[in-house]
Amino acid sequence: MSANHSPAGQQPTVTYESAFLKACRREPVPHTPVWFMRQAGRSLPEYLKVREGIPMLESCTRPELVAEITLQPVRRHHVDAAIYYSDIVVPLKAIGVDLDIKPGVGPVVQNPIRTRADLAQLRDLTPEDVWYVTEAIGLLTAELGETPLIGFAGAPFTLASYLVEGGPSKNHEHTKALMYSDPQLWADLLDRLAEITSAFLKVQIEAGASAVQLFDSWVGALAPADYRRSVMPASAKVFDAVAPYGVPRIHFGVGTGELLGLMGEAGADVVGVDWRVPLDEAARRVGPGKALQGNLDPAVLFSTPEAVEAKTREVLDAAAGLAGHVFNLGHGVMPSMDPDALSRLVEYVHTQTAR
């Protein structure tokens, strides 16, 4: 049972009444909850110290290290939720895909998927493949107490993009070529990735995650018609697979202003919004019944404290009419960000929205 599940006739679990989960459920909150994408590490000196000399993917398989890195921003920034420290390619590595994360580059796949025979790389994911996730989340939930833990996974399209391109891509030419030229192979690829992603999220929820976020980092490269036809069924399959657990499901992508309504339609309870679309306009595009997450431009954090407060106020004002709002950046924390600026931002949002 997840840390958020509150079935009829049973007492709610320890994180159920947290501001974060209340906002996800579009219930009244004591203050607008805050967490940051990529908050687990990156800009923190304590993160750099514990990660020193340890490759990224290896660091994701050490339960004690995962727990420590996940907890660091909670201790420092007093955010309202922790995000599990991992990487979107971890489940692919766990099932034997030959890949690595190259510093300064990103995930690099040795044998890109371009033909039907290449699908053989993608076997089912079992809990035993990611035993370290279960162990790490056990350590985390014991330490976090009433602070919710957010599990996460890469969405099928973004995983497919890395697998087909062989690494990061600006134009996604191989990905789109496969999607357009062999729609059946593309559908089979995304369906298989949806199964793997669903299994990975289930492991996290069953270990104690209170919510999950599906990252579709590159899906903003698609037009709405292509998303609806070629991507949405796989994303919906993931959301449907974890629906019985009753945890909030968050969906986020970059450059997805034209896709916001469809991303909500895929099954998310909370739609993440990047900084390009104001939250009041995002609410119009998403429609009723969904909470929103976002959406301060991360670059604003490099400005003066006064400018940060002014831009944050704009975000809060745009969200004033929303039934549910989780404050976040419009993308992830940057490595060169001042950690103190993030701490001040959390305090400002909490103070300004206290009820």
Side-chain angles (χ1 to χ4, degrees):
M1 181 181 296
S2 84
N4 176 56
H5 201 57
S6 181
Q10 295 186 23
Q11 288 295 314
T13 47
V14 68
T15 64
Y16 191 77
E17 294 297 325
S18 64
F20 169 72
L21 291 178
K22 279 176 169 285
C24 290
R25 298 194 301 265
R26 297 181 298 119
E27 297 173 1
V29 291
H31 59 263
T32 298
V34 187
W35 72 277
F36 302 121
M37 289 177 284
R38 296 180 184 157
Q39 71 184 20
R42 292 178 68 87
S43 69
L44 300 182
E46 55 265 41
Y47 164 78
L48 298 175
K49 183 177 180 180
V50 298
R51 266 286 317 277
E52 190 174 3
I54 304 173
M56 176 66 192
L57 285 175
E58 181 183 339
S59 72
C60 295
T61 64
R62 297 188 182 184
E64 293 81 6
L65 183 58
V66 168
E68 169 60 21
I69 293 172
T70 301
L71 289 166
Q72 285 175 350
V74 180
R75 297 189 197 114
R76 181 186 273 259
H77 303 313
H78 304 294
V79 285
D80 295 278
I83 176 73
Y84 182 73
Y85 173 73
S86 187
D87 188 89
I88 63 170
V89 298
V90 163
L92 300 180
K93 183 73 172 180
I95 61 170
V97 176
D98 189 356
L99 60 81
D100 197 9
I101 297 178
K102 303 291 186 184
V105 178
V108 175
V109 179
Q110 189 64 36
N111 301 302
I113 292 178
R114 305 283 173 80
T115 68
R116 180 160 295 279
D118 295 330
L119 287 181
Q121 298 179 54
L122 303 179
R123 66 167 176 83
D124 291 342
L125 177 81
T126 69
E128 291 72 30
D129 292 322
V130 287
W131 61 270
Y132 42 84
V133 173
T134 300
E135 189 169 322
I137 291 179
L139 296 172
L140 279 164
T141 53
E143 189 78 20
L144 284 166
E146 296 179 2
T147 301
L149 175 67
I150 305 168
F152 80 90
F157 175 83
T158 291
L159 293 178
S161 174
Y162 281 119
L163 287 169
V164 174
E165 299 291 339
S169 172
K170 290 184 178 180
N171 300 311
H172 308 282
E173 55 266 39
H174 295 294
T175 304
K176 291 184 177 182
L178 178 60
M179 182 175 70
Y180 296 137
S181 62
D182 195 338
Q184 188 57 57
L185 175 57
W186 173 258
D188 293 344
L189 169 60
L190 259 65
D191 188 69
R192 193 164 297 188
L193 290 170
E195 294 281 358
I196 293 166
T197 297
S198 299
F200 190 51
L201 290 178
K202 287 178 180 179
V203 167
Q204 294 175 68
I205 297 169
E206 290 177 5
S210 295
V212 291
Q213 175 158 306
L214 195 64
F215 281 86
D216 216 346
S217 307
W218 305 127
V219 79
L222 296 182
D226 289 330
Y227 177 87
R228 179 182 287 280
R229 177 177 57 250
S230 302
V231 174
M232 190 170 154
S235 295
K237 183 173 183 174
V238 175
F239 286 125
D240 288 346
V242 298
Y245 292 97
V247 304
R249 299 159 297 171
I250 310 168
H251 201 6
F252 174 76
V254 184
T256 52
E258 299 302 318
L259 304 178
L260 290 173
L262 293 171
M263 291 172 71
E265 194 178 326
D269 304 298
V270 184
V271 178
V273 184
D274 76 9
W275 69 92
R276 297 170 177 87
V277 180
L279 289 177
D280 48 358
E281 170 60 18
R284 187 191 68 78
R285 298 183 187 189
V286 171
K290 309 286 184 182
L292 295 186
Q293 177 177 281
N295 68 336
L296 183 69
D297 184 346
V300 170
L301 271 295
F302 293 95
S303 188
T304 63
E306 294 77 16
V308 172
E309 289 185 4
K311 295 300 290 185
T312 301
R313 187 71 258 169
E314 289 180 13
V315 173
L316 295 175
D317 288 347
L322 303 180
H325 175 221
V326 175
F327 189 94
N328 208 313
L329 301 180
H331 198 195
V333 169
M334 300 177 193
S336 55
M337 244 172 220
D338 177 7
D340 290 341
L342 290 167
S343 295
R344 288 193 299 268
L345 177 57
V346 175
E347 183 179 10
Y348 180 78
V349 172
H350 284 171
T351 300
Q352 292 294 307
T353 61
R355 296 166 176 83

